[in-house]
Amino acid sequence: MSTNIYFNHDAGIDDLVSLFLLLQMDDVKVTGVSVIPADGYLEPGISASQKIIDRFGSYDIEVAKSTSRGMNPFPKEWRMHTFYVDALPILNEKGEVQTKISQLPAHDHLIETLRHTAGKTTLLFTGPLTDLARALEKAPEIEEKIDKLVWMGGTFQEVGNVQEPEHDGTAEWNAFWDPEAVAKVWESRIKIEMVALESTNQVPLTPAIRQMWASLRRYEGVDFVGQCYAACPPLVHVETNSTYYLWDVLTTAFTGNSTLVKVKTVSSIVHTETPSQGRTEISQEGRPVDVVYDVTAEAFFTYITDLMKKAV
Ligand code: AGV
Ligand code: CA
């Protein structure tokens, strides 16, 4: 039995690597992909997704463009990474694109895909939750078609990764981009599995991991991932936010293989007001979420590297 997965990502490096990995998984059926321009840009995010599906997938699916725009935009320096992946020669060898773009905006595409997919679907979101919130707003009945949401976002620690004026630093970026959307999803009865910022502490992208992938670059899939991450090289002398963790990739791997991590259920609320916009906090008044708190790092890296080796 394969699991239906709908993937909404925000065009960052690890979002696009996640798409690539998802396409390699057995027991998974990807039913649709959509791109929201948060931690990346829309046009290259869509075209890189099309090319990744063309080159590394065996799916006849469409990719949908989000029309959502966030309250708190991501830094341009991070967003520029999308252009880099889209321009990689390995994705452009053919010089033509086959995978189609949906006529529907992402939130409608999500609604339609859920409706037309037999059985339930797992939602994988590795960026802000805006498109899901809009879909729930427009068609609340889709809740019945959702098995669960697996989301990379939020943090339960005091210090998140937002360092912006008029913010107290307690939030994670995907939640900060559109705090209202997180609140809307929190109001639903959807089962939520969350990879919070701290869930990825055991899987930083170290120079040793880069070296391991470099040594396996004879596999085109491993080379592709190494090339992608080269857009954010290790900056060992710059402290602020420069260590790349395998945020979205852990979230995606967890979707494909739940034995890699341990989860616990907590009760959580979300803040939508300044200066704590996007803060997710443990509180008895909150709703249940299953958060990843431990990762078997070695098994995780073996799992994803095997998926990369498999790609042809
Ligand atoms: O907060 C983590 C989210 C993930 O979905 N993103 C990156 C992942 O795609 C935002 C982010 C935090 N720090 C970053 C980020 C950095 N140094 N570069 C790019 N994006
Ligand atoms: Ca992301």
Side-chain angles (χ1 to χ4, degrees):
M1 268 297 285
S2 65
T3 313
N4 298 318
I5 298 188
Y6 185 96
F7 184 33
N8 180 283
H9 73 74
D10 71 341
I13 296 284
D14 59 337
D15 295 86
L16 293 164
V17 169
S18 293
L19 172 60
F20 159 74
L21 292 171
L22 193 63
L23 296 170
Q24 314 313 318
M25 292 179 186
D26 297 325
D27 309 328
V28 159
K29 183 170 172 253
V30 183
T31 60
V33 173
S34 48
V35 183
I36 182 168
D39 196 11
Y41 287 94
L42 189 61
E43 296 300 329
I46 287 286
S47 93
S49 299
Q50 292 173 284
K51 293 170 191 174
I52 290 170
I53 296 167
D54 280 1
R55 176 63 186 76
F56 291 114
S58 47
Y59 282 100
D60 183 17
I61 45 169
E62 293 183 336
V63 296
K65 291 182 184 178
S66 175
T67 52
S68 303
R69 301 296 179 263
M71 179 172 284
N72 301 300
F74 272 90
K76 176 182 156 203
E77 293 69 36
W78 297 352
R79 301 187 68 200
M80 290 301 291
H81 291 147
T82 321
F83 288 98
Y84 175 91
V85 177
D86 187 42
L88 285 175
I90 193 167
L91 295 183
N92 289 281
E93 207 170 349
K94 267 208 176 147
E96 58 180 30
V97 175
Q98 233 133 47
T99 296
K100 300 263 182 319
I101 299 172
S102 172
Q103 298 296 310
L104 300 172
H107 62 290
D108 286 331
H109 182 254
L110 171 59
I111 295 171
E112 289 309 314
T113 307
L114 288 171
R115 281 184 181 151
H116 293 130
T117 303
K120 294 197 178 192
T121 299
T122 293
L123 305 182
L124 172 61
F125 274 61
T126 57
L129 294 177
T130 318
D131 289 322
L132 175 55
R134 291 175 72 190
L136 290 169
E137 190 83 53
K138 194 164 174 180
E141 73 280 2
I142 57 166
E143 253 194 57
E144 305 305 317
K145 297 285 286 178
I146 299 170
D147 188 32
K148 62 181 177 184
L149 164 68
V150 186
W151 181 45
M152 192 289 128
T155 176
F156 293 120
Q157 296 188 331
E158 295 280 309
V159 182
N161 62 2
V162 172
Q163 288 148 3
E164 293 283 306
E166 305 190 328
H167 195 271
D168 62 10
T170 54
E172 180 281 330
W173 259 102
N174 289 340
F176 177 62
W177 196 78
D178 188 352
E180 299 285 348
V182 185
K184 172 78 190 164
V185 172
W186 252 231
E187 275 169 25
S188 74
R189 298 211 315 254
I190 300 169
K191 177 178 162 69
I192 298 175
E193 293 181 336
M194 185 169 141
V195 172
L197 209 51
E198 58 274 19
S199 309
T200 64
N201 283 350
Q202 289 158 292
V203 289
L205 182 55
T206 60
I209 295 293
R210 292 178 191 263
Q211 184 55 44
M212 186 262 291
W213 289 338
S215 75
L216 294 170
R217 66 176 288 278
R218 64 185 178 279
Y219 297 97
E220 289 200 322
V222 184
D223 190 41
F224 170 66
V225 172
Q227 299 279 357
C228 286
Y229 277 118
C232 32
L235 305 172
V236 286
H237 299 295
V238 189
E239 235 208 281
T240 317
N241 238 332
S242 73
T243 306
Y244 224 81
Y245 289 84
L246 276 89
W247 300 290
D248 297 352
V249 171
L250 176 63
T251 313
T252 305
F254 169 40
T255 314
N257 180 354
S258 60
T259 68
L260 302 170
V261 304
K262 290 191 188 128
V263 299
K264 63 181 176 195
T265 307
V266 299
S267 189
S268 153
I269 56 164
V270 51
H271 295 257
T272 53
E273 302 301 326
T274 304
S276 309
Q277 281 198 325
R279 176 180 186 183
T280 44
E281 191 187 6
I282 297 197
S283 156
Q284 284 325 304
E285 281 127 69
R287 63 104 80 213
V289 298
D290 290 350
V291 62
V292 170
Y293 71 93
D294 189 43
V295 183
T296 317
E298 212 185 294
F300 162 74
F301 282 111
T302 303
Y303 177 67
I304 61 170
T305 306
D306 284 348
L307 288 175
M308 296 173 204
K309 284 185 185 168
K310 228 176 89 181
V312 283

